[in-house]
Amino acid sequence: MKLKICITLGTRPEAIKLAPVIQKFRNDPDFSTFVVLTGQHKEMVAQVMEIFNLSADQNLEIMQPQQTLTDITYLTLQGLEKIYQQIKPDLVIVQGDTTTAFAASLAAFYQKIPIGHVEAGLRTDNIFNPYPEEANRRLISQITQLHFAPTTLAVENLQKSGVTGEIHLTGNTVIDALLTVANNEPICEIPNLNWEENRMYPPTLPCEGGKFRVLLTTIHRRENWGQPLQDILAGLKLILDKFPDVALLLPMHKNPTVREPIITHLGNHNRVFLTEPLDYIQLVGAIKKSYLLLTDSGGLQEEAPSLGKPVLVLRENTERPEAITAGTAKLIGTKAYSILNSASELLSDSQAYEKMANAINPFGDGTAAVKIVKIVKDYLKG
Ligand code: UD1
């Protein structure tokens, strides 16, 4: 009898970080693997599934415009109850700290199905920052049987949290995903993007021909909505004012709450590209082509160092201090002048730049998914 694994995911980062895990489980004849999408994200997950050539077995299609955390939680719980009852998985796999991951683990717990948690043990120790992710991952840890920790610090965090279940150090699956794309796929350079399709503003293409240093920026976090986002946008403008050779590439998240202020503040600037969300291949190409990254994304903090790019983190705290310790990322907050000063240093001081660009990636070596499959096999057959 094959072991039944159900891998549940809902958002783009979950899709990227679970893609290598899904591939490894599907290629292993001991397992029968079901992939269930909650549909928390639609277009942004579809892009990733296509790139990794993955199909889903079920889709709850819960997404609504301006969805609340309550909407996501109850629709996921309700939908997964039936699906888990039908499939009767031996183990459910969730990833990270989204509300999909939390609700999917709770749904499994209610049916006493063991849970494997990929990227377990990240902590900021402030349950409101990031919100709601810090609480989500803590809650998941309390009901998980197999914790797949990406780093030794994550292992220690789990030990300190007094969790039950087995803690395993696996590395982060994002490196597996990144290496697959970077090695096997043709990398799109920024000028080769399909601008007609992707870009919205402005009407000309200012960074063609390598004339400009490109800053790649992404912003989406809930705790940055409102004033912090205004401050970030003011900081980005200050950088553009000070450095006429800098262009900003800003792929916008689909969420209108972040998208509208961005368009209002930067939409008309002639060295700013606002684009639709880039697909993963384009994104990896954009990282390679950029000079440095300014972002509140966790995944980019893990990916950019593998490609030798410094990351300035637009947040007050981070659950990835490994990147800061290794010297590949710097936490700069959301205040306009702090953003200007930190970016200025890297744009003017080549030594400071090289130091960050050449630091070693602390997050993994691309073998996390293989380890996870083996651990699950030992656990279920043991
Ligand atoms: C979610 C996760 C966050 C993760 C982020 C990655 C939670 C609470 N938050 O935040 O941890 O870092 O995903 O992107 O789980 N939308 C679309 N199409 C899409 C995706 C989103 O139109 O494909 C729009 C919808 O209007 C939706 C809104 O974006 O209502 C917000 O999506 P939501 O999943 O609620 O929050 P994110 O900010 O994406």
Side-chain angles (χ1 to χ4, degrees):
M1 269 274 275
K2 288 193 182 220
L3 299 166
K4 273 193 241 167
I5 301 294
C6 185
I7 302 181
T8 305
L9 64 106
T11 68
R12 176 170 58 179
E14 292 165 81
I16 292 170
K17 291 177 172 183
L18 286 173
V21 179
I22 296 170
Q23 285 171 339
K24 291 283 176 300
F25 272 111
R26 284 207 168 142
N27 288 341
D28 189 318
D30 284 349
F31 292 101
S32 149
T33 307
F34 298 82
V35 174
V36 179
L37 305 185
T38 60
Q40 178 175 342
H41 287 175
K42 207 154 68 185
E43 304 89 335
M44 289 163 63
V45 164
Q47 277 182 347
V48 180
M49 299 290 283
E50 202 179 312
I51 283 179
F52 287 93
N53 208 1
L54 296 174
S55 57
D57 300 286
Q58 305 247 25
N59 188 341
L60 299 178
E61 297 190 7
I62 64 161
M63 193 185 91
Q64 304 168 10
Q66 309 282 4
Q67 59 203 353
T68 67
L69 299 174
T70 308
D71 295 332
I72 301 170
T73 307
Y74 87 80
L75 290 170
T76 299
L77 268 177
Q78 214 171 39
L80 287 179
E81 178 170 57
K82 290 192 201 81
I83 291 177
Y84 290 168
Q85 274 165 0
Q86 274 165 13
I87 299 175
K88 298 198 180 9
D90 295 297
L91 184 106
V92 162
I93 289 191
V94 300
Q95 193 282 330
D97 51 22
T98 66
T99 297
T100 279
F102 164 60
S105 63
L106 188 59
F109 171 73
Y110 282 163
Q111 293 181 43
K112 299 192 179 160
I113 303 165
I115 299 159
H117 184 202
V118 176
E119 202 183 30
L122 277 60
R123 297 289 185 267
T124 60
D125 294 330
N126 176 346
I127 53 161
F128 289 104
N129 198 324
Y131 169 84
E133 289 83 0
E134 175 76 2
N136 283 343
R137 56 192 171 223
R138 283 174 176 268
L139 294 164
I140 297 169
S141 291
Q142 296 307 322
I143 52 176
T144 287
Q145 282 64 43
L146 294 177
H147 308 267
F148 304 117
T151 63
T152 47
L153 182 65
V155 169
E156 287 162 22
N157 288 338
L158 287 164
Q159 287 162 343
K160 271 191 266 168
S161 302
V163 300
T164 56
E166 300 175 11
I167 302 172
H168 295 275
L169 178 64
T170 59
N172 197 311
T173 57
V174 78
I175 307 299
D176 306 26
L178 181 70
L179 295 181
T180 315
V181 169
N183 292 339
N184 297 345
E185 300 283 348
I187 297 295
C188 280
E189 301 288 325
I190 292 180
N192 300 338
L193 288 176
N194 185 348
W195 291 102
E196 290 310 310
E197 223 175 74
N198 278 300
R199 69 202 305 271
M200 302 170 65
Y201 308 89
T204 52
L205 179 56
C207 67
E208 246 173 4
K211 271 188 297 182
F212 290 89
R213 287 188 286 178
V214 176
L215 307 193
L216 176 62
T217 302
T218 73
I219 320 157
H220 75 278
R221 289 199 171 271
R222 272 164 206 260
E223 65 276 10
N224 280 344
W225 292 0
Q227 192 57 44
L229 179 56
Q230 303 283 338
D231 295 343
I232 292 170
L233 296 171
L236 296 174
K237 263 197 184 150
L238 291 172
I239 301 173
L240 290 161
D241 289 346
K242 182 164 174 191
F243 295 94
D245 69 327
V246 160
L248 203 71
L249 174 65
L250 199 163
M252 289 186 292
H253 193 285
K254 281 280 179 191
N255 191 344
T257 314
V258 281
R259 176 173 282 239
E260 279 156 20
I262 292 173
I263 294 175
T264 310
H265 283 79
L266 296 175
N268 291 321
H269 197 290
N270 67 354
R271 279 179 281 127
V272 174
F273 301 85
L274 304 184
T275 74
E276 287 300 322
L278 300 180
D279 73 33
Y280 197 54
I281 295 176
Q282 291 171 329
L283 180 79
V284 173
I287 299 175
K288 284 192 148 183
K289 194 72 182 174
S290 66
Y291 183 79
L292 71 92
L293 280 76
L294 288 133
T295 186
D296 64 7
S297 148
L300 284 173
Q301 286 175 60
E302 295 155 345
E303 288 158 344
S306 284
L307 302 171
K309 305 295 173 177
V311 183
L312 297 177
V313 182
L314 301 167
R315 292 176 56 183
E316 302 301 336
N317 61 9
T318 178
E319 55 289 270
R320 294 173 174 86
E322 297 92 337
I324 316 270
T325 312
T328 66
K330 200 172 153 192
L331 197 61
I332 64 166
T334 55
K335 296 280 180 284
Y337 278 92
S338 161
I339 295 171
L340 173 67
N341 293 340
S342 302
S344 293
E345 189 190 8
L346 295 177
L347 286 161
S348 340
D349 178 345
S350 57
Q351 264 185 342
Y353 181 87
E354 290 304 324
K355 216 170 134 198
M356 279 186 87
N358 293 322
I360 289 177
N361 191 329
F363 293 108
D365 59 4
T367 59
V370 173
K371 292 186 183 118
I372 288 169
V373 172
K374 176 162 189 323
I375 294 163
V376 169
K377 206 181 277 191
D378 291 346
Y379 176 79
L380 292 176
K381 288 192 164 175

